Amino acid sequence: SSELTQDPAVSVALGQTVRITCQGDSLRSYYASWYQQKPGQAPVLVIYGKNNRPSGIPDRFSGSSSGNTASLTITGAQAEDEADYYCNSRDSSGNHRVVFGGGTKLTVL
Amino acid sequence: QVQLQQWGAGLLKPSETLSLTCAVYGGSFSGYYWSWIRQPPGKGLEWIGEINHSGSTNYNPSLKSRVTISVDTSKNQFSLKLSSVTAADTAVYYCARNRGFINIDYYYYYMDVWGKGTTVTVSS
């Protein structure tokens, strides 16, 4: 399968830790990348590879992977982390297709 | 600091052809793949296709019959054409830079630079 599956919505109390997951067969070969998207804005890369953060991304964002599941963890969630989060990888079946998860709406309570 | 600037017609009638262009500023154009992604109102991201500096393309199978992505290396630009549009093609369209490589036995793939997006509405 070339699909990536995410929970549609997750909530977290301010300052607590939250994990957003992404499942798919391609994740057995590809590290997932993660994007944060706020309303009316373009997506922003927050995690790529094994656990890499682009410059400017706070270190409360981290990534991990096991088998066919990738996770984005926010340790000490802030109000400004409320956003949609998408995972992404290439299809591992060799057809070069790129796939996105359906997105997870994170609410910070 | 690489920046992507995109533009194109924002209002189309059904059956017309969508045309968007993305220009790359402040960095190398060669050595990367460049993607188009779209997002219908209230929905998730959908990859449309990609191209590299030599013109090699990959397309989403669900759109392949209607999509053409081209490149103009003299201007560091790449373009998207989507033919026979319908209301279902109404979306924000983004361009982005792809990065990809293999490290030991795992592949990396990500889009590290994005354009601001162009809203395209298809309506009669």
Side-chain angles (χ1 to χ4, degrees):
Chain A
S1 171
S2 59
E3 304 303 318
L4 296 177
T5 301
Q6 298 182 240
D7 291 329
V10 171
S11 62
V12 61
L14 185 67
Q16 297 303 300
T17 296
V18 62
R19 177 175 292 182
I20 299 170
T21 61
C22 174
Q23 288 189 304
D25 289 343
S26 63
L27 302 182
R28 296 185 185 278
S29 304
Y30 280 86
Y31 288 117
S33 52
W34 291 94
Y35 306 85
Q36 177 192 70
Q37 187 180 35
K38 297 181 179 179
Q41 298 182 19
V44 173
L45 178 69
V46 294
I47 291 288
Y48 67 96
K50 191 172 184 179
N51 181 18
N52 302 98
R53 283 176 289 105
S55 174
I57 301 301
D59 61 5
R60 63 179 179 271
F61 289 88
S62 63
S64 62
S65 181
S66 178
N68 73 336
T69 301
S71 299
L72 171 70
T73 300
I74 307 174
T75 303
Q78 302 299 302
E80 60 264 33
D81 299 334
E82 184 163 295
D84 294 325
Y85 290 86
Y86 294 91
C87 60
N88 160 246
S89 81
R90 220 181 251 288
D91 188 336
S92 59
S93 65
N95 62 14
H96 302 290
R97 182 187 170 203
V98 174
V99 290
F100 285 94
T104 297
K105 169 65 178 174
L106 175 66
T107 300
V108 179
L109 304 172
Chain B
Q1 182 82 357
V2 175
Q3 293 186 340
L4 305 184
Q5 182 176 348
Q6 55 181 110
W7 65 88
L11 180 60
L12 297 172
K13 290 180 169 36
S15 80
E16 292 184 335
T17 295
L18 178 157
S19 182
L20 299 175
T21 297
C22 183
V24 180
Y25 296 105
S28 175
F29 189 71
S30 61
Y32 300 97
Y33 270 85
W34 303 89
S35 274
W36 288 99
I37 303 100
R38 71 180 183 178
Q39 185 171 37
K43 296 188 178 181
L45 302 168
E46 179 182 33
W47 178 72
I48 299 170
E50 64 184 0
I51 193 166
N52 68 3
H53 68 282
S54 62
S56 178
T57 55
N58 295 302
Y59 295 131
N60 188 328
S62 68
L63 297 168
K64 187 174 183 177
S65 64
R66 297 193 292 130
V67 172
T68 302
I69 298 176
S70 59
V71 66
D72 185 342
T73 54
S74 68
K75 297 180 180 179
N76 281 7
Q77 295 176 1
F78 61 106
S79 298
L80 168 69
K81 290 190 185 301
L82 179 66
S83 64
S84 304
V85 298
T86 70
D89 296 309
T90 294
V92 177
Y93 287 74
Y94 297 100
C95 56
R97 184 176 76 174
N98 299 0
R99 306 289 295 273
F101 54 91
I102 185 168
N103 183 4
I104 305 177
D105 58 355
Y106 239 79
Y107 289 92
Y108 286 62
Y109 178 83
Y110 54 99
M111 299 175 181
D112 63 341
V113 183
W114 291 66
K116 293 186 184 299
T118 300
T119 299
V120 176
T121 302
V122 180
S123 174
S124 56

